[in-house]
Amino acid sequence: MHDLVIRGATVVDGLGHDPIRADVAVAKGRIAAIGAIGNGAAETIDAGGLALMPGIIDIHTHYDAQVTWDPTLSPSPSLGVTTVVTGNCGFGIVPSPPPLRDLIMRNLAVVEGMDLDALRAGIDWRFESFSEYLDAVRRAGPYANVAVLVGHSAVRTAVMGEDASIRKEPTAAELAEMKRLVAQAMDLGAIGLGASYSPNHSGWGGIPMPSTISEISEFEALVGAMGGPGRGVVEIASGTIPVETIADIAGRHGRRMFMTTGLSFYNEQFPTRGIGMFDSCAAAQARGQEVYLQFTCQPLSFDFTLAAAYPFYSHPAFDPIKAYGREQLKAVFRDPSFRERFRENLRSPIPGTIFQGNWDRVIVAVPVKPENAGLANRTIGDIARETGRDPLDLFLDLGLAENLDTGFIGRFLNAVDEGVEPLVKHEAGVIALSDAGAHLVYLCDAGFGLYLLGHWVRERGTFDLAEGVRRLTSHQAGLYGIPDRGRIAVGAKADLLLFDPATVGISPPRRVSDLPAGGTRTLRDPTGVHGVLVNGVRVFDGKNYVRLDKGPGQVLDRFLPARDAALASAAK
């Protein structure tokens, strides 16, 4: 007898085949049959013509800390995600020697926009090594499957301590120990290595995150420590490092690498730069150097105040003041010399910075004073033109007048669909970059998959449903070597999303105070989702998480090598 039968669904298999109307049976966590299935199941779901697809695979999350206190991994499973990869950009929380744990949390609080009090109150530090961390995640019983990258910054911190963000070169013994930790993590089941050379990645007090100051030769040494060719993937926030440099390393080590960089996003000021990076990746692939771009299908938006002006931190004018308190910031923002330094930064922005001076992309979202209510939903650029003022002065003066509490939204990158469309369709890209679990104050992009289905499939027709689903499921599973997932096929794991293609999407953002220690985060809710199953167990019913004694998600620790993964990705 089957554990579950989903009847009358429009099955979109994740492999790009045309959808079919069929029943789907589940037994022991796997797809047992597809077609016309008789009676005799322990549970039946009437799909009523809804679409059934594999669960979304999110390869770029930061749930490393949250999973230790929140096994639901909220909000990702409610948004259709059934598998997550953590440890991206190398900012994991293992290895975690006890004397360094507060340093790890302080850096995370800044670089990934997390609530420090929530981290201190929430992380259950019943682990120190990579193996102990994987065991802790297993004990937590996550609602989604979890794969973990070992992190460059994480191992650098464990080995070098506070020097990791100060000293550019490790000693020979320190480098040997970092390589040992990476090799050990790979033996224990890490999916690969995460790293960052992004100028936007600063930690507590404005210090650079450890990997960002290292020589590229150190990164390559860790790539080599992962094992033989084809073993594991590499994700790197590459900053301004050229595609060719990453591609050469990928080729030398037979490793599949995934770059993340703001340079690949569509930017109206540099409209051809993004597509040029995608084409460079395609050229590298043609040479046998497997390098891809992780790319977001959503406008990259940040909500912020001047009390925590994260989108501007990559500008040198902000380097000395990132850790300042409110009164210190007020004094700086009033200072004409600071304003001129910031203005000069905007005249010649560092490549890869998030904000490059277009004030028409900075919106007054929530003015504080009643007399400023009319500014809501207007851009700084528009207000400046109307009043004849310099936009930078207007922006800072408005914030100062409202005690730095004015709510702003920055829509800096990927804001024009016509420019984004060639990038989101490009075969050298992989749909990702939700950053789920991070930047909780500023945004919530965990619903990237539902956004793609609603916006790029239904509204714009950039993809048909079959291709849109493939881009969220088997594409990622194949490239990352995740076996038996990302497809609806007999024998595959029963990670499933039941949804209505006519209404699927995500809600506007909302704020909730449900983090440990009462911290606040930003969430978005699903629309058109009727159920999410992980390994055959329903974890979300369309409205709420299902209460389970232990979540059905598995810690993934066995992966296909690159060549086998490529064949699996191409299978149709």
Side-chain angles (χ1 to χ4, degrees):
M1 184 174 72
H2 300 306
D3 298 325
L4 171 69
V5 171
I6 301 171
R7 296 199 180 278
T10 298
V11 177
V12 191
D13 67 2
L15 296 169
H17 296 126
D18 291 338
I20 61 171
R21 187 72 173 263
D23 304 333
V24 174
V26 175
K28 297 181 180 180
R30 292 182 180 268
I31 306 295
I34 303 169
I37 298 170
N39 296 325
E43 181 184 1
T44 299
I45 296 175
D46 182 2
L50 296 171
L52 185 70
M53 64 176 276
I56 296 164
I57 296 176
D58 188 347
I59 58 175
H60 196 109
T61 79
H62 294 277
Y63 281 123
D64 308 72
Q66 185 179 326
V67 69
T68 71
W69 74 74
D70 172 24
T72 69
L73 296 177
S74 165
S76 284
S78 72
L79 298 165
V81 173
T82 56
T83 296
V84 302
V85 178
T86 70
N88 282 278
C89 306
F91 305 146
I93 58 174
V94 286
S96 51
L100 297 175
R101 287 172 180 171
D102 203 67
L103 172 64
I104 292 169
M105 291 187 289
R106 293 196 308 270
N107 282 341
L108 272 182
V110 175
V111 74
E112 295 299 344
M114 297 177 177
D115 186 303
L116 180 57
D117 291 336
L119 293 173
R120 285 172 169 164
I123 297 178
D124 183 358
W125 290 107
R126 288 189 291 175
F127 55 85
E128 181 175 342
S129 69
F130 196 85
S131 62
E132 290 168 341
Y133 177 74
L134 294 186
D135 287 343
V137 177
R138 291 185 184 100
R139 287 194 303 271
Y143 275 43
N145 305 302
V146 179
V148 184
L149 293 160
V150 60
H152 186 174
S153 281
V155 299
R156 199 172 213 265
T157 299
V159 172
M160 299 176 66
E162 294 194 6
D163 271 4
S165 290
I166 301 169
R167 185 155 42 92
K168 192 169 186 177
E169 292 189 17
T171 65
E174 288 169 337
L175 181 59
E177 177 62 6
M178 282 190 267
K179 291 168 64 177
R180 186 191 71 81
L181 289 170
V182 168
Q184 181 184 68
M186 293 300 299
D187 288 341
L188 291 165
I191 194 170
L193 174 72
S196 173
Y197 284 86
S198 170
N200 296 310
H201 283 157
S202 298
W204 188 256
I207 64 169
M209 288 302 290
S211 67
T212 66
I213 67 168
S214 69
E215 298 284 359
I216 196 70
S217 58
E218 178 179 310
F219 165 72
E220 183 166 3
L222 299 186
V223 170
M226 294 169 64
R231 191 183 192 205
V233 298
V234 176
E235 179 274 334
I236 177 170
S238 53
T240 59
I241 298 174
V243 169
E244 291 72 20
T245 299
I246 302 299
D248 286 346
I249 296 173
R252 280 195 293 273
H253 295 273
R255 201 81 64 206
R256 186 172 292 141
M257 296 195 176
F258 298 83
M259 299 172 63
T260 67
T261 172
L263 297 178
S264 69
F265 298 167
Y266 181 73
N267 187 324
E268 294 160 282
Q269 293 170 280
F270 306 97
T272 63
R273 186 170 63 191
I275 195 68
M277 292 200 70
F278 279 84
D279 290 343
S280 293
C281 285
Q285 291 171 23
R287 298 191 299 268
Q289 300 167 320
E290 287 204 81
V291 59
Y292 293 80
L293 284 164
Q294 289 190 2
F295 188 73
T296 179
C297 61
Q298 303 178 92
L300 196 65
S301 298
F302 299 86
D303 60 305
F304 63 97
T305 69
L306 276 173
Y310 166 84
F312 306 123
Y313 281 2
S314 55
H315 291 289
F318 281 80
D319 284 345
I321 67 171
K322 293 173 186 176
Y324 277 18
R326 190 178 296 262
E327 294 306 315
Q328 292 173 294
L329 287 172
K330 287 180 184 178
V332 171
F333 293 153
R334 290 189 185 100
D335 184 350
S337 65
F338 167 80
R339 296 187 180 203
E340 185 51 38
R341 287 195 299 275
F342 187 18
R343 199 171 276 114
E344 182 58 33
N345 294 163
L346 297 178
R347 291 189 191 106
S348 303
I350 298 171
T353 52
I354 295 170
F355 177 62
Q356 302 202 354
N358 185 350
W359 292 102
D360 286 318
R361 293 297 178 200
V362 180
I363 299 163
V364 181
V366 185
V368 175
K369 292 187 174 182
E371 59 265 34
N372 293 328
L375 302 180
N377 299 316
R378 296 186 62 191
T379 72
I380 292 295
D382 179 49
I383 300 167
R385 285 188 292 271
E386 181 181 274
T387 59
R389 298 194 60 199
D390 177 88
L392 188 151
D393 290 332
L394 172 74
F395 170 67
L396 294 176
D397 288 344
L398 175 60
L400 286 165
E402 299 195 328
N403 196 36
L404 308 189
D405 288 328
T406 313
F408 297 100
I409 292 177
R411 292 184 180 141
F412 301 131
L413 300 169
N414 277 14
V416 180
D417 280 347
E418 290 73 19
V420 175
E421 186 163 328
L423 307 180
V424 81
K425 291 171 63 177
H426 205 293
E427 286 292 340
V430 186
I431 305 299
L433 292 184
S434 80
D435 270 346
H439 303 297
L440 306 176
V441 177
Y442 307 110
L443 73 162
C444 176
D445 281 346
F448 72 106
L450 302 187
Y451 180 87
L452 184 139
L453 295 173
H455 184 74
W456 294 107
V457 173
R458 183 181 64 245
E459 295 173 5
R460 289 188 62 87
T462 300
F463 303 111
D464 62 19
L465 185 59
E467 178 62 7
V469 168
R470 185 188 76 83
R471 289 295 190 107
L472 298 170
T473 55
S474 71
H475 194 213
Q476 286 84 346
L479 289 174
Y480 267 58
I482 301 172
D484 299 332
R485 301 188 192 273
R487 63 195 63 207
I488 297 179
V490 173
K493 294 286 189 177
D495 297 342
L496 301 168
L497 167 58
L498 187 65
F499 69 102
D500 180 359
T503 59
V504 68
I506 49 175
S507 74
R510 62 184 176 92
R511 293 287 184 87
V512 297
S513 297
D514 65 352
L515 292 176
T520 299
R521 61 177 175 154
T522 303
L523 293 178
R524 301 181 83 169
D525 301 307
T527 60
V529 169
H530 289 257
V532 179
L533 292 84
V534 175
N535 296 311
V537 177
R538 188 158 23 181
V539 296
F540 184 74
D541 64 12
K543 293 183 179 178
N544 299 294
Y545 287 102
V546 178
R547 291 185 177 273
L548 301 169
D549 291 335
K550 187 173 184 179
Q554 299 175 353
V555 173
L556 307 183
D557 56 11
R558 295 291 182 270
F559 306 97
L560 297 172
R563 183 174 298 173
D564 293 343
L567 293 173
S569 180
K572 292 189 179 182

